[in-house]
Amino acid sequence: MTTQRRERAPRQADVARLAGVSQSAVSRVIGGDPEAAARIPVDTRRRILEAVKELGYVPNLSARKLRNKTNRLLGVHTFEPVFPHARESFYFEFLLGIEERAEEIGYDLVLFTSTGAGDGRRRVYRDGTNRLNVADGTVLLGVATDKADLARLWQEGYPFIHIGRRDVPGAPDIPCVVPDYFGITGDIAERLAALGHRHLAYLREGLELEPYEDRRRGYGDAVERLGLTDRSPGLRGEPGLDEAWLDELARGPETAVVAESERLAEALLRGLRARGRDVPADVSVVVLEGVGPAATRRWEHLDIPRKEIGRAAIDALVAIVDDPDLRTESIVVPCSIVDGDTIATVRP
Amino acid sequence: MTTQRRERAPRQADVARLAGVSQSAVSRVIGGDPEAAARIPVDTRRRILEAVKELGYVPNLSARKLRNKTNRLLGVHTFEPVFPHARESFYFEFLLGIEERAEEIGYDLVLFTSTGAGDGRRRVYRDGTNRLNVADGTVLLGVATDKADLARLWQEGYPFIHIGRRDVPGAPDIPCVVPDYFGITGDIAERLAALGHRHLAYLREGLELEPYEDRRRGYGDAVERLGLTDRSPGLRGEPGLDEAWLDELARGPETAVVAESERLAEALLRGLRARGRDVPADVSVVVLEGVGPAATRRWEHLDIPRKEIGRAAIDALVAIVDDPDLRTESIVVPCSIVDGDTIATVRP
DNA sequence: TGCGGCGTCGCATACGTATGAGCAAACGTC
DNA sequence: GACGTTTGCTCATACGTATGCGACGCCGCA
């Protein structure tokens, strides 16, 4: 083993000199393009590869990217820190899928971590520099997505895909990969209807994010289609789960509640018990998100296939990178329902 | 807002055309070099900056790196996946410090995540390509460091720094930032001596990693210097904490034990209790690593300043990047002792 | 008028790679 | 022997940026 430290990284020209060929011959052999390499006879190729080994040549990715517009590097950018604990497990599964799939198809992954602003929020642009463009394309994710950044990226023509649906003014169709909240929420309503439930309610979170809109549309459409009734605290107005509404629910004909979050479901459960009602004996409950380990009940809930979504995002991104003119529609990944013990058939 | 999507990212030449100047003028204004920019009169500069804004120009980092050898991008490479949970909190604090410091001094951060081999171990080189060289330099960390990779990186002259001491054959002095295990272990021995302990023992882990060597040297030196005696299960031989040795300890004159890990300390505690001895009444115990939340006792232990180490690593790396000829010595970061209730003065 | 100095900018080049075009030799065909 | 065709390479160039050097105009001074 050589223990001499080099002062300068060798380039193809150095390899060429040692092998007694031209730089372009080296490029053709190194580049891996089978057609080009095939035109170089075996022994020349062998000489070149030996010189590569001898010098410890490694390609310069920046030069390659400059020339090729591509370096088989995909970025991952989160709009919030990945590491701080609260959201960590939220990102984790996405990242697993992303990493897994990227590796399968031979892409390297770069995780952009620096926070642009001082406020912990992350921005793509830092004093005018799009930091992402070392990578061929980037997967964006995060609930606190910065829409201005998204719009600008789209205008620049930079290849990216967003996990989760985002509607951005000025960027008509940004490519997203989204869980099928619309479909699964409809399925859930159907399942409840099949169990005999005719009178439902829907508990909404205070946030006005696109994913919630999908769920609400899915629920609303299904209620209408199936001829059910709905008495929700502000399905089309204010969110809320106040005492007055709980009283109303306890007295009314509703036998099933769909809750957007585990938090809401737990609050509902407490409210019902305080009124002498129980789940699922009196009211069936379904939660429209994954539930944590701290849940007090085995909630019937929907499962977001995060790992699959991560994988799908990589595939879609690569497609966009390969063909930048591609008009990708949103990719919808089906969700499934995880059986719990919080729904039951309607008592006569 | 323009809603037209561009087909191609603008370059300095485009900006120049719009502003009616040459590409080099644009470069001088953009580049941020104050001396060069100062030589351009204000109104020309203004025209250029307006054109930049108008076109939404962002610099091409690859071209910059190709030309400059530098793009203010620092890499982070872990030899094991960051995300899988077990080790997560181990890396977490390092990463916090790294991110914090990098941002302070205006560097962006790139986290290399792809696993080269199929076995979950991560390698710097993937079929001959040093993936790190998109970044100006890289912080390496991980207990399962691949020494061959390290040696090769060093030979290539690539700027990097390793967190934790690693001795690599063929690479005489790889730059490391290391906790001062040697010093703190000596301090611990001194503290025990000050409490009247004359007869010590030292429990070692089975692994032969450099950080353990530092601790063992620190302990050994201090025992000698202070004229103490040591009866350890194989301080210089096999590790072990078997029943025979525990019997010996319970009967012998030893009043204090230094354990390399929380695991060993817990095992020791059980062994002593089974023999009617307690901690710290009969035997004082100090743990030579951070202790987890699941500890049964408030162990007297040493604290590794992970965040500080991360920050120090960035500073050292930047120094190396700025001056590649720099022969950096290992940077030693002092540790501290966290008081617990597992040591006491010797009973007469 | 001639000349030096300064302020303002453009020209040309280099960074390392990939690739179309092209050239020289070998080989076959008539 | 003239003329394609294939083989095995080389030449030249482009990617987008940064920068040394020099050009050009203008002012002041002799």
Side-chain angles (χ1 to χ4, degrees):
Chain A
M1 176 187 294
T2 326
T3 75
Q4 188 47 50
R5 181 166 196 177
R6 272 199 314 261
E7 69 311 330
R8 191 185 55 110
R11 355 168 228 250
Q12 291 185 353
D14 300 320
V15 174
R17 208 171 309 121
L18 184 58
V21 294
S22 75
Q23 174 264 328
S24 43
V26 176
S27 172
R28 281 179 232 272
V29 170
I30 298 298
D33 179 10
E35 297 180 33
R39 301 179 51 82
I40 308 272
V42 237
D43 55 338
T44 307
R45 197 157 44 200
R46 199 179 35 71
R47 274 208 330 278
I48 292 176
L49 290 177
E50 271 169 10
V52 163
K53 196 162 226 168
E54 163 85 18
L55 293 178
Y57 165 81
V58 308
N60 180 321
L61 285 186
S62 298
R64 210 170 243 188
K65 165 109 186 164
L66 183 59
R67 165 71 218 223
N68 269 351
K69 314 327 204 166
T70 172
N71 54 183
R72 295 191 85 74
L73 232 47
L74 297 180
V76 179
H77 181 267
T78 63
F79 285 90
E80 301 132 26
V82 185
F83 301 115
H85 287 246
R87 279 276 158 194
E88 184 174 73
S89 55
F90 177 79
Y91 286 130
F92 177 64
E93 292 249 8
F94 289 127
L95 291 167
L96 272 188
I98 289 171
E99 182 168 356
E100 187 178 285
R101 184 62 186 148
E103 196 183 346
E104 284 174 15
I105 60 178
Y107 277 80
D108 271 318
L109 226 44
V110 174
L111 183 53
F112 295 96
T113 71
S114 106
T115 75
D119 56 2
R121 299 266 322 275
R122 297 187 167 187
R123 307 222 34 195
V124 170
Y125 297 91
R126 156 126 106 195
D127 46 51
T129 308
N130 172 354
R131 300 158 37 241
L132 305 187
N133 64 11
V134 269
D136 293 345
T138 291
V139 178
L140 273 358
L141 68 167
V143 295
T145 306
D146 188 307
K147 290 195 174 182
D149 277 359
L150 231 47
R152 188 160 164 200
L153 268 185
W154 185 86
Q155 279 172 42
E156 272 181 26
Y158 181 84
F160 70 94
I161 189 155
H162 191 273
I163 288 188
R165 188 160 70 79
R166 269 323 105 103
D167 296 327
V168 177
D173 47 8
I174 65 168
C176 297
V177 31
V178 299
D180 184 15
Y181 291 127
F182 179 84
I184 195 71
T185 311
D187 289 353
I188 285 170
E190 279 183 12
R191 176 178 293 200
L192 289 171
L195 292 175
H197 298 276
R198 302 256 78 85
H199 306 283
L200 312 185
Y202 183 99
L203 288 177
R204 53 196 277 174
E205 275 288 335
L207 295 129
E208 289 297 333
L209 294 172
E210 286 88 342
Y212 287 123
E213 289 172 13
D214 289 346
R215 292 173 169 92
R216 289 162 196 173
R217 275 196 307 116
Y219 172 79
D221 283 16
V223 163
E224 193 156 334
R225 186 176 69 242
L226 300 167
L228 309 178
T229 79
D230 164 74
R231 169 155 52 183
S232 302
L235 174 54
R236 285 170 193 83
E238 285 297 297
L241 174 64
D242 55 16
E243 298 296 317
W245 184 82
L246 280 168
D247 287 340
E248 212 174 312
L249 180 69
R251 283 195 313 266
E254 282 71 28
T255 55
V257 177
V258 177
E260 283 184 348
S261 68
E262 181 184 352
R263 190 184 65 81
L264 285 168
E266 297 279 355
L268 174 66
L269 178 61
R270 284 193 301 273
L272 286 173
R273 283 194 173 145
R275 287 160 180 78
R277 307 308 208 85
D278 203 7
V279 172
D282 304 298
V283 178
S284 292
V285 177
V286 185
V287 179
L288 293 187
E289 65 175 17
V291 300
T296 62
R297 294 286 303 258
R298 289 186 47 245
W299 297 105
E300 178 98 2
H301 68 277
L302 70 78
D303 179 54
I304 304 167
R306 295 208 180 92
K307 195 165 162 184
E308 276 314 310
I309 290 174
R311 295 178 58 95
I314 288 293
D315 285 330
L317 180 59
V318 169
I320 294 172
V321 167
D322 287 345
D323 177 11
D325 296 331
L326 201 66
R327 277 292 203 256
T328 320
E329 322 231 323
S330 284
I331 293 168
V332 176
V333 180
C335 298
S336 56
I337 301 172
V338 177
D339 291 335
D341 52 18
T342 57
I343 67 172
T345 56
V346 174
R347 287 195 299 202
Chain B
M1 176 186 295
T2 327
T3 75
Q4 187 48 50
R5 182 169 195 176
R6 274 200 312 263
E7 70 311 330
R8 189 184 56 107
R11 351 164 230 248
Q12 291 185 352
D14 300 319
V15 175
R17 207 171 310 119
L18 183 58
V21 295
S22 75
Q23 175 263 328
S24 44
V26 176
S27 172
R28 282 181 235 267
V29 170
I30 300 297
D33 179 8
E35 298 180 32
R39 303 179 52 82
I40 308 272
V42 231
D43 56 336
T44 307
R45 197 157 44 200
R46 200 180 35 73
R47 275 209 326 280
I48 292 177
L49 290 176
E50 271 169 11
V52 163
K53 197 162 226 169
E54 162 84 18
L55 294 178
Y57 165 82
V58 308
N60 180 320
L61 285 187
S62 298
R64 212 170 241 189
K65 165 110 185 162
L66 183 59
R67 165 72 215 220
N68 269 352
K69 274 85 171 83
T70 171
N71 55 185
R72 295 191 83 76
L73 233 47
L74 296 181
V76 179
H77 180 266
T78 63
F79 284 91
E80 300 131 28
V82 185
F83 301 115
H85 285 244
R87 278 279 157 193
E88 185 175 75
S89 55
F90 177 79
Y91 286 128
F92 177 64
E93 292 249 7
F94 288 126
L95 291 167
L96 273 188
I98 288 171
E99 183 169 354
E100 189 178 284
R101 184 64 185 146
E103 196 184 346
E104 282 173 16
I105 60 178
Y107 276 79
D108 272 317
L109 227 43
V110 172
L111 183 52
F112 295 97
T113 71
S114 106
T115 75
D119 56 1
R121 299 270 317 279
R122 298 188 166 186
R123 307 222 35 197
V124 169
Y125 296 90
R126 156 125 104 195
D127 46 50
T129 310
N130 172 354
R131 300 161 35 244
L132 305 187
N133 63 12
V134 269
D136 293 345
T138 291
V139 178
L140 303 174
L141 68 167
V143 295
T145 307
D146 189 306
K147 291 195 174 184
D149 277 359
L150 233 46
R152 190 163 164 198
L153 268 185
W154 185 87
Q155 280 173 42
E156 273 182 25
Y158 181 83
F160 70 94
I161 190 154
H162 192 273
I163 288 187
R165 189 161 70 79
R166 271 321 106 102
D167 295 328
V168 177
D173 48 6
I174 65 167
C176 297
V177 32
V178 300
D180 183 14
Y181 291 127
F182 178 84
I184 195 71
T185 311
D187 290 352
I188 286 170
E190 279 183 13
R191 176 177 294 201
L192 290 172
L195 292 176
H197 298 275
R198 300 257 79 85
H199 305 283
L200 312 184
Y202 183 101
L203 288 175
R204 53 196 277 173
E205 276 288 335
L207 295 129
E208 289 297 332
L209 294 172
E210 286 88 343
Y212 288 123
E213 289 171 13
D214 288 346
R215 292 172 170 92
R216 290 163 196 171
R217 274 195 310 115
Y219 173 78
D221 282 16
V223 162
E224 195 157 332
R225 186 175 69 244
L226 301 167
L228 310 178
T229 79
D230 165 76
R231 170 155 51 184
S232 302
L235 173 56
R236 285 169 192 83
E238 284 297 297
L241 173 65
D242 56 16
E243 298 296 317
W245 183 81
L246 280 168
D247 287 340
E248 213 174 313
L249 180 67
R251 284 196 313 267
E254 281 70 29
T255 55
V257 176
V258 177
E260 282 184 349
S261 69
E262 182 184 351
R263 190 184 65 80
L264 285 169
E266 297 278 355
L268 173 66
L269 178 62
R270 284 193 301 274
L272 286 173
R273 282 194 173 145
R275 285 161 182 80
R277 307 307 207 86
D278 203 6
V279 172
D282 304 298
V283 178
S284 292
V285 177
V286 185
V287 179
L288 294 187
E289 66 175 18
V291 301
T296 63
R297 294 287 301 260
R298 289 187 47 245
W299 297 106
E300 178 99 3
H301 68 278
L302 70 80
D303 178 55
I304 305 168
R306 294 209 180 91
K307 196 166 163 184
E308 277 313 309
I309 290 174
R311 294 176 59 94
I314 288 294
D315 285 331
L317 180 58
V318 169
I320 294 173
V321 167
D322 286 346
D323 177 11
D325 295 331
L326 201 67
R327 278 293 202 254
T328 322
E329 321 231 324
S330 284
I331 292 168
V332 177
V333 180
C335 298
S336 56
I337 301 173
V338 176
D339 291 336
D341 54 16
T342 58
I343 65 172
T345 56
V346 174
R347 290 195 297 200

